[in-house]
Amino acid sequence: MKKGCKYGSHRVLEPQGVLTQAAYKIDNNMEIYSNEILVDVQSLNIDSASFTQIEEEAGGNIEKIKAKIMEIVGERGKQQNPVTGSGGMFIGTVAKIGEDLKDRDLKVGDKIASLVSLSLTPLKIEEILDVKPEIDRVDIKGQAILFESGIYAKLPDDMPENLALAALDVAGAPAQTAKLVKPGDSVLVLGAAGKSGMLCCYEAKKRVGPTGNVIALVRKQEQADNLVKWGFCHKAILASAQEPMAVLNKTLEANKGKEVDISISCVNIPNTEMSCILPVRDNGVVYFFSMATSFTKAALGAEGVGKDVTMIVGNGYTKDHAEITLQELRESETLRKIFEERYI
Amino acid sequence: MKKGCKYGSHRVLEPQGVLTQAAYKIDNNMEIYSNEILVDVQSLNIDSASFTQIEEEAGGNIEKIKAKIMEIVGERGKQQNPVTGSGGMFIGTVAKIGEDLKDRDLKVGDKIASLVSLSLTPLKIEEILDVKPEIDRVDIKGQAILFESGIYAKLPDDMPENLALAALDVAGAPAQTAKLVKPGDSVLVLGAAGKSGMLCCYEAKKRVGPTGNVIALVRKQEQADNLVKWGFCHKAILASAQEPMAVLNKTLEANKGKEVDISISCVNIPNTEMSCILPVRDNGVVYFFSMATSFTKAALGAEGVGKDVTMIVGNGYTKDHAEITLQELRESETLRKIFEERYI
Ligand SMILES: NC(=O)c1ccc[n+]([C@@H]2O[C@H](COP(=O)([O-])OP(=O)(O)OC[C@H]3O[C@@H](n4cnc5c(N)ncnc54)[C@H](OP(=O)(O)O)[C@@H]3O)[C@@H](O)[C@H]2O)c1
Ligand SMILES: NC(=O)c1ccc[n+]([C@@H]2O[C@H](COP(=O)([O-])OP(=O)(O)OC[C@H]3O[C@@H](n4cnc5c(N)ncnc54)[C@H](OP(=O)(O)O)[C@@H]3O)[C@@H](O)[C@H]2O)c1
């Protein structure tokens, strides 16, 4: 077995010199290098922004969605949406471990979830077995490869694997929330009724403690009522995240006329940067988890309104993100029940 | 006089509900609201990424560059490059101050530089007088409007205005560097020979002190030699910021085999995200000042290589950024001389 680059650059076909995420096409030959892991894939969890785009392009037609996914993977060697640039993650069973990685706490037959994006993961699909549009899930027969630097989580014994998968898909968001939010903070979560939104609300509410204020921004009255009832936020407001002035005014109303300390963007649509920036106080933090965030709109937008806020790009990975996220589902029966109802 | 929205939303023509940066078209009628400032504009300093794009599209032809700028401003009511989304800044003389802003330390006739982007500033060009491609500068006859939230700097007496303008254009970068960099840090600056790059190197070198290590990444040997000679960095390395593996290896070489604490991206080209991320240690900081940064490439890229780094979107504004930047030119005769030679 040959040894590959720790970061997978040996698999880049074009253009040369970049890494696998930036590459247009990567090598999805399933013969592994000595520092790679081969996995028999069971399901793909397509990134929400990507799935929405594919679904719209296919007019909601399942066969067309399947064809589009086969086309992308056939063309690029990975499931990377050409429009959104994003991927998703997979779940599967370890089939082979390269000799240089034998020391890891992992064996053939272990069920794992990939915690690196499909947008950089060599993937080969033999057959698409099922598409579940309500949960952005695609069941397949196929294989994938993890590089030496590729992170993954062994699936826990105490919950159904699909439940773990649903939560792990957005694990970066609640874990970053845990690190950013301090006792007494006021926090605005945009897209609070979505998957990452709920996890962030829950985590933020826990962190701010009794003197904090977690404000959930949603679009529907029922979502607002539920989030308050479940105890995931202190207040819920109704507005479109694409209308910054409305978001600003309603946030101020829900926060005693004051700007918030932190905003967290968990929406899945573009043009929401200003709604995330305007309600935050000077020296506050804007955490962009949404992949539909535009870099220039954020940078120029904050400058344009003279806001001295720290804007963070939502890194999909942060230390212990899998553990932090799964722990939420263990702690909160309500959260677990909702996730079981919606995402399995 | 009517009073407008603090953030300028009253000037948005389409689409409705957004702010002026996100708007496709804004109202550039030069009759001011009671909380606006009218300025007679003398020069536009086009954002580097935007100017490069326009120049390429025009095949370097000055008349075509002029026509393109007239077309953009005529169509959109602001100088916002439709491809890069970015703008630049202007310099001019205060012509009228709305009655609600009379208390400000500003009077008609004051020379100011706008510190908000042209991409959200109502602008009317009567005539383009000159284009200076080597410094991305366009001299015009025209007017612009500043909103209540719009930041600006009165031009200092102790330096030529074009010198101040050149530095203020990228003032966010050195000011953020000043806030991020700590004594003893190792810092990688990508695009170190450019305008913002030199200012960042200078500031970082000052901040890290005797135990730190500032590494300047450039493309040409002469640039490397100069930066070291001028004392703006400890070490200079040669690599293309579009080749992450080369950048990683050379950075490690220049930092005793260790990853750096902070990287600062001051390049003006796309596909450099991984070069900024790979050389940084876990829990380090990546500061993206470059407007050519892709949000998804950064977010998925860091996850893809399992890097727990904090990635910051380069906010064009941070408190006192004008003062911090002009101070550099006062402190360092070398820096001032280079800026005078290159940017005036
Ligand atoms: N940074 C990373 O590493 C990373 C990793 C994974 C995912 N992501 C991104 O995270 C985002 C959220 O993912 P998710 O799985 O949590 O998505 P999700 O469950 O689909 O949630 C998105 C939420 O946004 C809400 N929304 C849509 N348009 C809105 C509007 N105009 N105003 C207010 N709310 C609006 C939706 O509300 P409705 O319920 O009314 O439709 C929904 O609740 C996606 O953009 C995804 O790409 C990022
Ligand atoms: N975030 C904000 O608010 C804000 C505000 C203003 C500007 N900006 C952005 O900041 C960036 C830099 O602006 P600037 O005025 O400093 O630009 P600049 O003076 O043109 O400098 C850009 C530098 O990048 C270098 N470069 C280009 N391609 C490279 C490569 N492949 N490898 C290594 N270096 C490379 C150039 O090197 P050569 O000398 O070899 O060509 C040049 O020195 C631009 O993207 C601009 O849009 C951001």
Side-chain angles (χ1 to χ4, degrees), chain B residues 1-12:
Chain B
M1 275 194 215
K2 274 190 297 184
K3 181 161 181 165
C5 157
K6 174 180 174 188
Y7 298 116
S9 63
H10 55 288
R11 293 238 173 213
V12 171

Side-chain angles (χ1 to χ4, degrees), chain B residues 37 97 101-107 147-150 152:
Chain B
I37 296 168
I97 301 174
L101 305 180
K102 292 285 189 213
D103 291 346
R104 290 201 179 173
D105 178 24
L106 191 74
K107 57 183 192 310
F147 305 126
E148 185 177 342
S149 65
Y152 53 85

